[in-house]
């Protein structure tokens, strides 16, 4: 598991659909789906219920979402602390 996978997961969870999340992440849907499936395999539990209307978080997904959001926030703040003199607003974590 890495920070990029967690960001993908958070985006999918927030959008509720792989297609919308892929558009927001400027990537194709198949690679994003693979990242989510790989994350689910690594966690050992499904993170989403696949429905006709989109995706719904499972209880494991809900627990991971909160922790992932907190971790991403902390990492981004840490990056800002050490790159505060940077001229642009480019995030240091993709």
């Amino acid at each position: 598991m890495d920070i990029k996978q967690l960001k993908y997961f958070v985006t999918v969870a927030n959008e509720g659909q792989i297609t919308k999340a892929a558009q927001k992440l400027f990537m194709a849907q198949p690679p994003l789906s693979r990242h989510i499936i790989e994350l689910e395999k690594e966690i050992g539990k499904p993170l989403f219920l696949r429905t006709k209307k989109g995706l719904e978080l499972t209880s494991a997904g809900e627990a991971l979402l909160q922790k992932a959001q907190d971790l991403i926030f902390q990492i981004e703040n840490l990056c800002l602390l050490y790159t505060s003199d940077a001229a642009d607003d480019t995030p240091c974590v993709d």
Side-chain angles (χ1 to χ4, degrees), residues 3-4 7 24-26 72-84 86-94:
I3 191 70
K4 188 174 278 192
K7 283 189 159 196
K24 188 169 188 172
L25 293 164
F26 303 103
I72 291 165
F73 178 78
Q74 290 177 14
I75 290 171
E76 288 175 348
N77 280 336
L78 183 63
C79 288
L80 288 174
L81 178 66
Y82 290 101
T83 60
S84 61
D88 60 31
D89 292 331
T90 305
C92 60
V93 178
D94 290 332

Side-chain angles (χ1 to χ4, degrees), residues 48-89:
F48 295 100
L49 295 172
R50 278 91 174 148
T51 69
K52 291 180 181 180
K53 294 182 181 182
L55 301 172
E56 295 178 13
L57 287 169
T58 63
S59 58
E62 289 178 12
L64 180 61
L65 179 61
Q66 183 61 49
K67 292 182 185 319
Q69 288 172 324
D70 291 345
L71 182 61
I72 291 165
F73 178 78
Q74 290 177 14
I75 290 171
E76 288 175 348
N77 280 336
L78 183 63
C79 288
L80 288 174
L81 178 66
Y82 290 101
T83 60
S84 61
D85 59 341
D88 60 31
D89 292 331

Side-chain angles (χ1 to χ4, degrees), residues 5-15 36 64-65 68-69 72:
Q5 277 183 308
L6 292 176
K7 283 189 159 196
Y8 291 165
F9 165 73
V10 168
T11 303
V12 171
N14 288 336
E15 294 299 320
I36 296 302
L64 180 61
L65 179 61
Q69 288 172 324
I72 291 165

